[in-house]
Amino acid sequence: MYLAENLKFLREQNGKTQGELAVLFGIEQKTISSWECGSRKPPIGTIVSLAKLYRVYSASCLASGAYMYWEDFKDKRLPAHKVFIFEGGDF
């Protein structure tokens, strides 16, 4: 269920409406709604595109806990195995 909750949270945090996303992705608003209520899941390519739009790592859409924004790691030299650390939730 994390995916549905995260998609809605990230959309709202970025000041987008379901209708605006639907236009950007060339789909119907009810499709966005179905992703956010958990009755359907977006294709993985769409998850990647949404993550880019919201400037988060794709894994942040799928997990509970912290959201990993690109800016958090900008100009930092972190080992790959330390990049995806999620606190406060299940992965």
Side-chain angles (χ1 to χ4, degrees), residues 20-89:
E20 289 170 331
L21 279 185
V23 170
L24 281 173
F25 285 89
I27 56 177
E28 295 184 27
Q29 181 271 330
K30 67 182 181 180
T31 302
I32 305 286
S33 178
S34 69
W35 297 343
E36 292 183 0
C37 74
S39 62
R40 294 182 62 198
K41 293 182 180 5
I44 190 68
T46 302
I47 294 171
V48 171
S49 295
L50 286 166
K52 287 180 182 179
L53 176 68
Y54 299 144
R55 300 189 53 76
V56 299
Y57 289 94
S58 299
S60 294
C61 295
L62 304 171
S64 70
Y67 295 92
M68 307 297 287
Y69 290 90
W70 290 347
E71 289 80 15
D72 293 340
F73 296 102
K74 186 178 179 183
D75 299 324
K76 294 184 182 174
R77 306 277 186 236
L78 294 178
H81 69 280
K82 296 202 180 221
V83 172
F84 295 108
I85 300 171
F86 297 96
E87 299 176 11

